[in-house]
Amino acid sequence: MDASMILLAVAVVGGVGLLIGLLLGVAGKKFAVETDERVEQVREHLAGSNCGGCGFAGCDACAEAMVAGTAAPNVCAPAGAENAKAIGEILGVSVEVGDRKVAFVRCAGTCDKTEMKSQYFGIQDCQKASMIPGSTDKACNFGCMGFGSCVNACKYDAIHVVNGVAVVDKEKCVACGACTAVCPKNLIVLVPAKAEHLVQCSNREKGKAVKAVCAAGCIGCGICQKNCEFGAVTVTNNLASIDPEKCTNCGKCAEKCPVKVIS
Amino acid sequence: MIGELILLLVGAALVNNVILSQFLGLCPFLGVSRRVETAAGMGAAVIFVITIASAVCSAIYLLILEPAHLTYLNTIVFILVIAALVQLVEMILKKMMKSLYNALGIYLPLITTNCAVLGVALLNVQKYADYTGGKMMVFSIVNGLGTSAGFCIAIVLMAGIRERIENNDITSSFRGQPIVLVTAGLMAIAFCGFAGVI
């Protein structure tokens, strides 16, 4: 192998590349499209992780939609309140910034609390496993399957499967909503970050049936509803739910709950 | 020679159709054949890229690579040229036809990796390696034009069929891509009928 051959090859490819680069540079000047500079400015205030939580194809598409007026300036949850305000200033519109939200998993059926009905050796993915009759080894048909489709969906490392149940890291969660979309059991919801007391169960069976499958399930006894002074807790379809708007975080429901399903 | 070139043009467009008998460039064929207008736009962009790429690539091959005994650099140099051409098409479309630019979306930069484009450029220099200078250029350009015209014909036909399929009552398991692939297979069989033309 001759060293000059290598140099020649480098020169040819480099030369062709340089020529093409120059031509493209000239063409780029000639065909320059005037873009709205606000798009660039807005883009800088978005989270930049292309999580898709806003419903657009990515941060660039979202910035364009914001400038065009088809998206509200605060649709980018990961960017946070500060950036939403900054975007509002760029676009000259006022922005209503809501409370910070976080994802919350409505299940507390960890491996030691939930009954196992079988041994499952199938595909380790919630969405695929949910297609199979019986779907998982846990006896509860409503609860977290623990295969971690939400973990894979999360771009911020904010949700993990701990002891068979997905748990959200409130500090890291940016409420992009990616996990809520992939959970086949619809267990994950976005709640205000300040809400301290929430019902960690989604089982709508009657109390006896719930008790048979999980020690941490809501049995729909209604004690929480009776004890709430603010009317924030309601039991419908054998399942308690807490309205974060009315809840004052007094903690009485959690205290009185016989199965300690309210966090 | 003129007769030879016409035969080559028809042969490349219909008989050896790049999609339906060589199965190159299937990605955009399935990806942007949803509407006839978009498909026609894609076809036009591919015609532009393949024809110019054929000319430039065979020129580079003749003037630089072959005299310098660097023909093993074909792939890398050709893909460089193709990438630049696609970039150029993208700029032009963004300036002139914003709506088509938006409709083509990701498939426009993906012309770079459309194997039909690189395939034609590489096949040109292989098939016409014996021809001298200008003759090789002419044959390459005509072959490129024919091939890309074949791509355009196939994708526009496919889009027309797909627009009608949309309204049909298709079994749910066949809805979407499966029925499109079945359609593509049937079209390929239909294009076999051209085999006896030349």
Side-chain angles (χ1 to χ4, degrees):
Chain A
M1 189 71 198
D2 196 351
S4 65
M5 282 303 287
I6 301 177
L7 287 178
L8 189 62
V10 171
V12 165
V13 177
V16 170
L18 199 67
L19 197 69
I20 286 172
L22 281 174
L23 285 176
L24 275 185
V26 173
K29 279 272 184 297
K30 201 163 178 189
F31 292 107
V33 179
E34 281 187 24
T35 47
D36 197 333
E37 61 183 27
R38 291 182 303 171
V39 175
E40 287 290 310
Q41 291 170 348
V42 169
R43 176 71 182 75
E44 276 170 27
H45 285 288
L46 299 179
S49 58
N50 290 320
C51 67
C54 53
F56 292 93
C59 295
D60 287 326
C62 181
E64 270 176 33
M66 280 179 180
V67 173
T70 48
N74 57 358
V75 293
C76 185
E82 288 294 307
N83 283 314
K85 269 184 198 150
I87 292 167
E89 273 170 31
I90 294 168
L91 301 177
V93 290
S94 60
V95 184
E96 280 180 33
V97 181
D99 290 328
R100 191 175 95 87
K101 289 195 165 189
V102 290
F104 171 73
V105 182
R106 292 181 294 179
C107 179
T110 47
C111 293
D112 48 313
K113 287 183 178 150
T114 308
E115 295 294 320
M116 296 296 170
K117 68 172 187 298
S118 60
Q119 281 188 309
Y120 178 80
F121 295 104
I123 196 161
Q124 299 287 309
D125 180 278
C126 302
Q127 288 185 310
K128 287 170 185 137
S130 68
M131 300 292 187
I132 305 164
S135 62
T136 169
D137 42 11
K138 285 182 185 168
C140 176
N141 279 329
F142 295 86
C144 179
M145 300 159 77
F147 297 133
S149 284
C150 47
V151 179
N152 294 334
C154 184
K155 297 236 173 100
Y156 300 92
D157 191 36
I159 191 163
H160 299 281
V161 175
V162 181
N163 199 9
V165 168
V167 179
V168 176
D169 184 339
K170 277 191 176 185
E171 297 299 313
K172 286 184 186 167
C173 181
V174 295
C176 70
C179 54
T180 63
V182 294
C183 182
K185 304 279 184 187
N186 293 321
L187 290 179
I188 310 177
V189 285
L190 297 180
V191 296
K194 66 174 173 30
E196 283 173 26
H197 300 290
L198 293 159
V199 182
Q200 291 181 299
C201 184
S202 302
N203 198 319
R204 288 183 161 70
E205 301 270 5
K206 287 198 173 140
K208 200 179 168 218
V210 175
K211 272 219 154 141
V213 295
C214 186
C218 177
I219 52 174
C221 63
I223 291 174
C224 46
Q225 188 174 0
K226 276 175 214 147
N227 279 284
C228 185
E229 294 162 20
F230 310 97
V233 190
T234 46
V235 177
T236 43
N237 291 332
N238 308 310
L239 182 63
S241 69
I242 297 172
D243 183 355
E245 295 286 314
K246 292 181 187 162
C247 180
T248 57
N249 288 336
C250 70
K252 210 167 249 178
C253 49
E255 194 184 304
K256 299 276 181 184
C257 178
V259 286
K260 299 293 169 216
V261 68
I262 299 176
S263 61
Chain B
M1 187 163 134
I2 299 290
E4 221 177 316
L5 286 176
I6 291 172
L7 269 185
L8 176 64
L9 193 67
V10 176
L14 296 175
V15 184
N16 298 315
N17 188 287
V18 63
I19 293 175
L20 296 171
S21 65
Q22 297 183 58
F23 304 109
L24 293 173
L26 285 175
C27 165
F29 180 62
L30 300 178
V32 278
S33 55
R34 219 174 279 274
R35 300 202 54 76
V36 171
E37 293 93 60
T38 340
M42 184 72 185
V46 169
I47 289 182
F48 179 81
V49 172
I50 291 191
T51 313
I52 308 281
S54 298
V56 177
C57 288
S58 53
I60 288 180
Y61 179 85
L62 282 172
L63 297 177
I64 305 173
L65 297 180
E66 207 179 21
H69 303 292
L70 288 171
T71 48
Y72 63 88
L73 287 177
N74 274 352
T75 315
I76 189 168
V77 173
F78 288 2
I79 208 78
L80 209 64
V81 170
I82 291 164
L85 281 172
V86 172
Q87 198 77 62
L88 193 68
V89 173
E90 211 179 328
M91 283 175 194
I92 295 173
L93 279 187
K94 203 173 181 183
K95 176 101 175 168
M96 310 281 184
M97 284 181 275
K98 190 73 203 252
S99 57
L100 183 60
Y101 176 81
N102 287 335
L104 289 175
I106 185 71
Y107 290 99
L108 187 56
L110 274 182
I111 298 178
T112 314
T113 53
N114 184 342
C115 56
V117 184
L118 183 65
V120 171
L122 284 174
L123 282 177
N124 278 339
V125 295
Q126 275 171 25
K127 268 202 287 193
Y128 310 123
D130 304 335
Y131 295 177
T132 47
K135 198 178 176 196
M136 177 179 176
M137 287 274 294
V138 173
F139 270 78
S140 295
I141 294 169
V142 172
N143 186 35
L145 190 66
T147 308
S148 48
F151 180 91
C152 189
I153 291 169
I155 198 169
V156 170
L157 283 178
M158 184 60 161
I161 296 174
R162 270 182 87 167
E163 278 187 0
R164 281 161 184 75
I165 283 182
E166 289 288 283
N167 304 323
N168 286 4
D169 182 24
I170 300 162
T171 318
S172 61
S173 53
F174 271 96
R175 232 165 265 164
Q177 294 293 4
I179 192 74
V180 175
L181 284 168
V182 172
T183 313
L186 290 174
M187 281 175 74
I189 295 172
F191 266 67
C192 282
F194 286 114
V197 171
I198 293 176

